[in-house]
Amino acid sequence: MTRAVHSYMKMTVALCLLLFQANERPPFDQINKTNSEMSLVEISQELLYAARTGEPVDTFTHILKNIHEKALEQLQSDEQKKAFWINIYNAYTQIILRDEPEQYSNRNRFFRSKQIAIAGHMLSLDDVEHDLLRRSKIKWSLGYLNKPFPSRFEKRNRVKKLDWRIHFALNCGAKSCPPIAYYKPEGLGRQLDIATTVYLRGECNWRPEDNIVEVPAIMGWFRRDFGGKDSMRTLLKLMEIIPPASKPAIRFKAYDWELFLQNYKSE
């Protein structure tokens, strides 16, 4: 059976189980018991795969747009939520910029534009990153401030605890972004650990002669997520990027915003 046929069959089952037509959709408490073919995380993976290969994405985006909001309760653990929303973020970035690369000329508008339809709600990339994955953090506050009035949708679907490793998994289309991988709840911690290690070892620059370590710009933008500079040094020591007894000054590198799509992690 070809992958395309297999995906189509799985999508058919998913449509039957997740579409919100009241007279056809089974009660939600039955979905987790009967939907053995495809979970929401798997749908997000299939969407990302289609984005990578250039296959049509309409079937997947239609499912995600039209699921009942209650179906998102399938994402019960933080691992499920992180895997789903990271895949959604990365997939939609690729899909949108593949079709309309000119959007990147105004990045603030691009990140704020509500172009992601999930369960009847229109979300932006900023909504996915800062509201759901960063647990209602204000974007330009270095990670120190929370949104005072998060929406009901946000409170129901955000993670319970912010995980700073997501910053090494999200790809916004820029050359300085980490590569894209297919995330899943099982073994997610190990996946994020690997993504963190690979990205930091590739991007950090230890200059012992000046007692300076250069680190990615994203660590400066969201420094509270990382626990501040002392915690950053501890992390860099664990990564064996700086010596255990050192205490270098931290410098944040410039971010390369050149558009760079199809930056997928090698299998």
Side-chain angles (χ1 to χ4, degrees):
M1 181 183 297
T2 67
R3 182 184 180 93
V5 172
H6 183 57
S7 293
Y8 177 80
M9 293 175 65
K10 292 170 76 178
M11 286 300 96
T12 301
V13 173
L15 276 167
C16 293
L17 294 172
L18 295 176
L19 287 177
F20 70 97
Q21 299 168 353
N23 60 339
E24 296 179 8
R25 185 176 62 86
F28 182 77
D29 60 6
Q30 296 179 16
I31 289 179
N32 285 335
K33 299 176 183 178
T34 59
N35 187 15
S36 60
E37 286 294 319
M38 179 166 282
S39 67
L40 285 176
V41 173
E42 289 173 321
I43 292 172
S44 74
Q45 291 174 322
E46 291 292 336
L47 176 66
L48 186 55
Y49 180 83
R52 176 176 185 171
T53 59
E55 295 178 7
V57 299
D58 295 357
T59 298
F60 308 104
T61 57
H62 180 74
I63 292 172
L64 292 166
K65 177 182 178 180
N66 290 293
I67 58 173
H68 194 283
E69 183 179 335
K70 198 169 180 63
L72 292 174
E73 293 178 10
Q74 184 186 119
L75 306 171
Q76 295 182 354
S77 69
D78 270 11
E79 287 71 23
Q80 290 170 318
K81 291 177 181 179
K82 283 184 284 188
F84 176 77
W85 292 115
I86 290 171
N87 290 338
I88 291 294
Y89 184 101
N90 290 340
Y92 271 94
T93 297
Q94 295 294 306
I95 293 165
I96 295 167
L97 292 177
R98 179 188 65 194
D99 294 339
E100 299 181 72
E102 65 275 8
Q103 286 202 37
Y104 220 54
S105 62
N106 188 331
R107 290 189 299 273
N108 285 333
R109 181 185 299 167
F110 168 67
F111 292 122
R112 292 197 310 265
S113 296
K114 295 187 182 294
Q115 305 180 76
I116 303 171
I118 306 285
H121 293 262
M122 294 304 299
L123 307 174
S124 68
L125 291 168
D126 274 352
D127 293 336
V128 173
E129 179 177 5
H130 306 295
D131 296 352
L132 300 173
L133 284 168
R134 296 185 64 231
R135 192 171 167 78
S136 304
K137 291 288 184 182
I138 293 176
K139 182 176 181 178
W140 299 119
S141 68
L142 303 180
Y144 287 94
L145 299 177
N146 295 325
K147 289 176 63 177
F149 304 110
S151 69
R152 177 185 59 82
F153 179 88
E154 190 175 333
K155 289 189 286 187
R156 285 186 175 182
N157 296 291
R158 67 189 180 185
V159 296
K160 295 181 178 66
K161 183 178 180 182
L162 189 156
D163 185 340
W164 51 265
R165 297 174 297 177
I166 64 164
H167 293 299
F168 306 117
L170 296 173
N171 183 294
C172 68
K175 196 167 186 179
S176 282
C177 288
I180 301 168
Y182 300 93
Y183 287 94
K184 57 184 181 179
E186 303 80 17
L188 180 67
R190 183 172 182 274
Q191 277 191 286
L192 291 175
D193 282 344
I194 291 171
T196 299
T197 301
V198 170
Y199 188 72
L200 287 180
R201 287 182 177 172
E203 291 292 321
C204 292
N205 216 353
W206 164 230
R207 292 161 43 190
E209 67 278 8
D210 301 317
N211 196 32
I212 289 172
V213 61
E214 297 174 334
V215 302
I218 51 178
M219 297 181 77
W221 299 341
F222 308 117
R223 61 190 67 189
R224 182 62 182 87
D225 292 12
F226 294 93
K229 289 187 175 181
D230 285 340
S231 293
M232 292 180 198
R233 292 187 190 94
T234 299
L235 174 61
L236 298 177
K237 291 173 184 177
L238 289 173
M239 299 289 103
E240 300 181 343
I241 293 169
I242 60 176
S246 65
K247 192 177 180 180
I250 290 178
R251 297 288 183 269
F252 300 107
K253 299 169 67 175
Y255 205 73
D256 188 342
W257 284 105
E258 179 184 350
L259 183 60
F260 183 57
L261 300 180
Q262 293 291 311
N263 180 18
Y264 289 91
K265 180 182 176 182
S266 299
E267 298 297 337

